Amino acid sequence: MFRGHKSVSFDPARDIPSLEDKVILVTGGNIGLGKQCILEYARHNPATIWLAARNLDKAKAAVDEIQGQLTRPADIKLLELDLSSLESVKKAAARLLGESVRLDILMLNAGIMATPPGLTTDGYEVQFGTNYLSHALLTRLLMPLLKRTSLMPDADVRVVAVSSHGHVFVPKEGIHFDTLRTDAEDIGPYGRYSQSKLAMILWTRQMAKLNRQITFAAIHPGIVKTNLANGATGSNILVRGFLKVANMVVTSVEEGAKNQLWASVAEGVKSGEYYEPIGVTGQGSALCTRDEFVESLWEWTEQELDKISDV
C-alpha cells in the first residue's frame, strides 16, 4: 500500500450543493448506507431519486421514513431490482430508460458479504454476481442515458461504486476466474467477497478510461454499523460473534455514508480512483494498479455481458 493524502472534511448538510433538476439512482436504497444517502440527497432538492431495492414493501417503508425526516417532500420513486437476477437488472434499466430523460448520479451501493456458497439465478458465484456483475450490467444498460446527461448544460455525471478495503485480502494472483461460474466454496466466504470488491475497483479504472465525460469512483465507506454483517452467514461461529461485537463500536451509518456522498458531488474527485474515508487515495492493494488485472477482468466482463445482451 501507499500513503494517501489526508482525509478531507465533508458535511453533507453543508457540502452537498443544490441538486435541482438532478436525477439520482441508488441501488440498495432501502437500508443502511443507501438509505442514508437518499435522505441526504433529498435534503438538497433533486428532481427525482430512484430507490432501487429487491423488496418493494421494505423500500416503501424506507421512503416513508425518509419523507418523515424532511422539511418538504421529495420525489422518490421505487425501482424493483434484484441483483441476483440479470433479468431483473434488465427490467429495472428498461423502466428507468423509459421514464427518465437524464441520470446524474448512479450509486452502485447494494451488496452482500460472506454469504454461504451459492449461485445467482444465472449461475454465477452469488457474491461476485450480486456485488459486481449485475452492477456492471446495470451501468452498461444505462450508459446511453448517462452519456446523454453529460452533454446537458452544467452536467457533472458521476458513477460511484461501493467497494471495500476487504479487496486487499484476495490472493496475490488476483481474481480466480475459474471460480466465477461455480459456488467457489474452496476459497471461503471472505475470499469470494474480496474478489467481488476488487472487481469493482478494477472495473472503475477501466470505465473511467473509456468514458472520460463521466466521473467514476470506487470507495470504501469504512467499517460501518449496517445490516451487512448480519447477512454474513457463511462465516464460522467465531467470526459471526466477532462481527456482532464489532457492530456495536464501528462507524455510524451517518458517518459511513460520507465517503460515497463526497465522491458523488465534491470537486477534485479523480475519475478512476479508489478512495477510503474521506477522499483518501493510495490505500488500494498493488493489484489495483496492475494493468494486466484490469484488462483480464474487462475481457471476462465484456464476454459475459455480451452473452447476456444476446439473450
Side-chain angles (χ1 to χ4, degrees):
M1 294 185 193
F2 305 94
R3 187 183 300 277
H5 61 71
K6 189 168 67 172
S7 176
V8 301
S9 173
F10 184 78
D11 177 359
R14 179 194 65 212
D15 296 326
I16 295 178
S18 170
L19 299 174
E20 188 173 0
D21 299 327
K22 305 286 188 181
V23 176
I24 300 165
L25 168 61
V26 180
T27 70
N30 64 302
I31 196 169
L33 295 170
K35 180 181 172 186
Q36 185 65 31
C37 287
I38 290 174
L39 172 62
E40 300 295 354
Y41 288 139
R43 290 169 167 155
H44 295 269
N45 198 33
T48 304
I49 303 173
W50 290 84
L51 188 163
R54 181 175 56 186
N55 186 312
L56 291 184
D57 289 335
K58 291 181 178 179
K60 176 62 167 60
V63 171
D64 290 344
E65 186 177 337
I66 290 168
Q67 298 284 21
Q69 297 179 67
L70 300 175
T71 56
R72 59 179 174 178
D75 183 22
I76 304 174
K77 296 182 184 296
L78 302 184
L79 183 65
E80 186 171 10
L81 175 64
D82 180 355
L83 290 169
S84 69
S85 164
L86 296 175
E87 187 59 33
S88 177
V89 175
K90 289 181 181 180
K91 288 180 180 178
R95 183 181 169 205
L96 191 68
L97 291 170
E99 295 186 25
S100 185
V101 297
R102 65 187 296 158
L103 181 59
D104 299 87
I105 299 172
L106 172 59
M107 185 169 286
L108 308 175
N109 167 79
I112 56 176
M113 181 180 77
T115 55
L119 300 174
T120 66
T121 302
D122 306 277
Y124 296 95
E125 190 280 307
V126 67
Q127 292 191 76
F128 202 86
T130 300
N131 294 348
Y132 170 67
L133 189 62
S134 284
H135 277 137
L137 175 61
L138 179 66
T139 308
R140 177 194 261 206
L141 295 173
L142 294 178
M143 279 304 293
L145 187 57
L146 292 163
K147 288 181 177 179
R148 188 160 72 240
T149 307
S150 74
L151 299 174
M152 295 179 179
D154 301 319
D156 181 13
V157 179
R158 309 275 182 110
V159 178
V160 178
V162 177
S163 182
S164 169
H165 183 77
H167 79 276
V168 303
F169 299 114
V170 296
K172 64 181 180 180
E173 62 271 20
I175 295 168
H176 289 199
F177 291 98
D178 59 344
T179 69
L180 301 183
R181 276 285 195 172
T182 75
D183 65 14
E185 184 172 8
D186 289 348
I187 66 174
Y190 290 97
R192 299 190 292 272
Y193 177 72
S194 297
Q195 286 195 147
S196 72
K197 292 304 183 178
L198 174 62
M200 293 297 280
I201 297 171
L202 300 177
W203 173 84
T204 295
R205 278 193 62 199
Q206 184 69 4
M207 289 295 284
K209 180 179 178 181
L210 297 177
N211 302 281
R212 297 189 182 279
Q213 69 275 55
I214 296 169
T215 299
F216 288 82
I219 69 96
H220 169 54
I223 309 301
V224 184
K225 184 177 175 61
T226 70
N227 198 49
L228 193 63
N230 294 334
T233 55
S235 306
N236 64 45
I237 191 167
L238 291 176
V239 173
R240 290 203 301 272
F242 169 77
L243 289 172
K244 286 183 179 178
V245 173
N247 219 24
M248 295 186 285
V249 297
V250 294
T251 302
S252 68
V253 171
E254 292 80 5
E255 189 68 24
K258 288 182 179 181
N259 201 28
Q260 61 208 77
L261 287 166
W262 171 85
S264 72
V265 299
E267 294 183 5
V269 177
K270 183 180 177 182
S271 194
E273 274 286 357
Y274 164 69
Y275 291 98
E276 297 208 347
I278 298 171
V280 177
T281 58
Q283 302 302 302
S285 73
L287 300 183
C288 296
T289 57
R290 298 269 294 275
D291 289 340
E292 63 266 34
F293 288 107
V294 175
E295 291 164 5
S296 295
L297 175 68
W298 186 254
E299 181 179 354
W300 181 89
T301 303
E302 287 294 282
Q303 288 175 351
E304 296 304 311
L305 295 186
D306 286 344
K307 291 177 194 174
I308 296 160
S309 300
D310 291 340
V311 175

